[in-house]
């Protein structure tokens, strides 16, 4: 192995990117890199980018401008761009910012070590090749580092849904699912490194259809039941799901699989059927609400989370009101809401846009409603008993922090448990975005 070099990774966007950044760090570990928390002393800076909204992509260019300054003190510094902006813009990035040495798409990061070597020879390295070849296989022999108690595991990438606003089907490509056995092996490996909770990741995770050990195609529910058998693994979650892929066996797993946590992120985007149709969502507000009824019948305490877009082209006040009505009916524990952002190349980009001031005002109203629901649900936890997966020490001495089954952050004073332990706690107080609990 060559001498130690320092790697600074800045991650934008979704949890897929968080997972990818970890894998990139491991891939470059083989070339002698260790991660550093600041760009000041880095030998390589990687921006793992997101293309989902315009702001996210523009932020990358301004950040690259800043990062370029570090080259003045350190001419050997290499700057790389990874993720969806890399995939979407490729060569254009090097043209717009000549300080960039390397551009790597999300399907190619197992080639990072070779690409890094190329930049060390003074050449530019670009790899945004499709389709997915098995980068996961290429990364199998990564170093056996100890891991935090909660980890992500990618099981599926890409999306075939083509919502009219979304770039994911273009930047991440078609849906690809990993074989069941590979996922189970990776889960066992994570457990050996101290992981107790795994979140299965996919752009459309409940559309998962990987080859099972019997040679047949398995769905997400079958995969979950297989992971349920892994000793030492205590909790399973999955994200992000599409309402149209919420099959009966998956709902049933929420009722019967004790390791599957009562939390479901199920984006609906809008409550107006007219807008949902224009979004190419192929579900209605009513079919979504009936689906949630079935899920709640299976698991009454499940905490629902969602995504919303306001100001989608042609959205009227009436359409927006239908979204608020839907939110009132569902009662979300968490929700993420965004102002519609025009993405060139997507069908909605061509349509009549809603005025920005109108969209901003709607976003505020929607967020106020969601904040109210979130707070009510958190306050409703007071007096209830939960199980907390302890992740780390809290700010106060003797305090530990972790997550409940419902993904609420819980801090426990005078806690005897260690990171990785599951402790029972009674919720005593809801304080801003976290809960206080007492060990029982
Ligand atoms: N504008 C605003 N929000 C978007 N999302 C996806 N594309 C766009 C866009 N063009 C949101 C959706 C999706 C989440 C990950 O990002 O709500 O569920
Ligand atoms: Fe994008 Fe999700 Fe729609 Fe796929 S299902 S196109 S990832 S918003």
């Amino acid at each position: 192995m060559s001498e130690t070099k320092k790697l600074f990774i800045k991650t934008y966007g979704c949890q897929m990117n968080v997972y990818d950044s970890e894998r990139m760090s491991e891939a470059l570990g083989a070339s002698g890199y260790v991660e550093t928390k600041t760009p000041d002393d880095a030998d390589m800076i990687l921006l793992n980018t997101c293309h989902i909204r315009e702001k996210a992509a523009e932020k990358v260019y301004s950040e690259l401008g800043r990062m370029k300054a570090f080259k003045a003190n350190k001419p050997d510094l290499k700057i790389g761009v990874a993720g969806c902006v890399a995939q979407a813009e490729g060569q254009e990035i090097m043209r717009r910012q000549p300080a960039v040495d390397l551009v790597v798409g999300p399907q190619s990061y197992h080639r990072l070590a070779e690409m890094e070597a190329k930049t060390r020879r003074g050449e530019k390295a670009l790899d945004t090749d499709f389709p997915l070849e098995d980068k996961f296989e290429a990364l199998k022999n990564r170093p056996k580092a100890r891991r935090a108690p909660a980890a992500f595991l990618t099981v599926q990438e890409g999306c075939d849904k083509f919502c009219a606003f979304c770039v994911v089907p273009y930047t991440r490509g078609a849906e690809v699912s990993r074989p069941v056995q590979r996922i189970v092996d990776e889960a066992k490996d994570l457990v050996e490194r101290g992981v107790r909770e795994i979140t299965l990741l996919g752009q459309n995770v409940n559309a998962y259809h990987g080859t099972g050990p019997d040679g047949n195609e398995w769905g997400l529910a079958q995969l979950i039941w297989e992971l349920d058998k892994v000793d030492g693994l205590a909790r399973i979650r999955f994200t992000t799901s599409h309402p149209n892929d919420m099959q009966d066996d998956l709902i049933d797993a929420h009722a019967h699989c004790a390791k599957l946590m009562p939390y479901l992120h199920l984006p609906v985007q809008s409550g107006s059927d007219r807008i949902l149709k224009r979004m190419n969502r192929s579900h209605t507000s009513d079919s979504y609400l009936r689906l949630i009824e079935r899920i709640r019948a299976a698991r009454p305490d499940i905490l629902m989370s969602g995504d919303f877009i306001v100001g989608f082209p042609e959205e009227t006040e009436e359409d927006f009101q239908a979204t608020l009505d839907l939110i009132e009916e569902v009662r979300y524990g968490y929700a993420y809401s965004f102002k519609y952002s025009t993405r060139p190349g997507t069908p909605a980009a061509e349509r009549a846009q809603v005025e920005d001031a109108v969209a901003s005002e709607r976003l505020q109203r929607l967020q106020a409603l969601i904040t109210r629901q979130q707070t009510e649900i958190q306050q409703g936890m007071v007096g209830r008993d939960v199980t907390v997966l302890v992740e780390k020490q809290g700010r106060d001495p003797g305090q530990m922090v972790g997550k409940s089954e419902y993904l609420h952050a819980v801090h426990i004073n005078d806690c005897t448990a260690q990171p990785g332990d599951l402790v029972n706690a009674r919720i005593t107080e809801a304080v801003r975005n976290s809960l206080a609990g007492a060990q029982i």
Side-chain angles (χ1 to χ4, degrees), residues 148-170:
F152 295 122
L153 200 173
T154 294
V155 303
Q156 177 276 331
E157 282 195 20
C159 181
D160 299 336
K161 296 278 189 292
F162 291 91
C163 297
F165 49 80
C166 186
V167 285
V168 166
Y170 310 97

Side-chain angles (χ1 to χ4, degrees), residues 227-288:
L227 291 169
D228 181 64
K229 295 183 202 153
V230 174
D231 283 338
L233 178 63
R235 290 174 158 190
I236 303 168
R237 303 180 187 276
F238 59 88
T239 196
T240 289
S241 297
H242 193 288
N244 290 1
D245 293 312
M246 212 56 218
Q247 305 298 341
D248 288 347
D249 58 353
L250 189 54
I251 297 176
D252 189 68
H254 269 297
H256 300 293
C257 179
K259 288 187 184 179
L260 185 58
M261 292 295 103
Y263 181 101
L264 181 62
H265 183 61
L266 197 63
V268 64
Q269 315 296 354
S270 167
S272 153
D273 288 345
R274 197 179 71 87
I275 293 294
L276 286 169
K277 202 164 189 174
R278 301 290 284 146
M279 285 178 163
N280 191 30
R281 290 288 295 183
S282 52
H283 58 77
T284 63
S285 159
D286 190 60
S287 70
Y288 179 79

Side-chain angles (χ1 to χ4, degrees), residues 237-238 246 254 260-266 288 292 295-296 299-306 330-336 373-381 384 386 404-409 435:
R237 303 180 187 276
F238 59 88
M246 212 56 218
H254 269 297
L260 185 58
M261 292 295 103
Y263 181 101
L264 181 62
H265 183 61
L266 197 63
Y288 179 79
I292 291 184
I295 296 165
R296 284 192 167 139
R299 182 74 207 224
D301 63 336
I302 201 159
L303 191 137
M304 293 303 305
S305 138
V330 173
R331 298 185 72 245
Y332 286 95
Y334 287 99
Y336 305 87
Q373 291 193 341
Q374 264 173 220
T375 310
E376 277 170 13
I377 287 178
Q378 285 185 2
Q379 280 164 352
M381 294 305 299
R384 282 179 61 182
V386 295
S404 77
E405 337 29 359
Y406 309 103
L407 216 55
H408 286 131
L435 302 174

Side-chain angles (χ1 to χ4, degrees), residues 351-365:
R351 304 186 191 148
Q353 308 289 308
V354 169
E355 216 180 297
D356 190 60
V358 173
S360 297
E361 192 269 336
R362 285 180 191 163
L363 186 64
Q364 271 185 15
R365 274 194 281 159

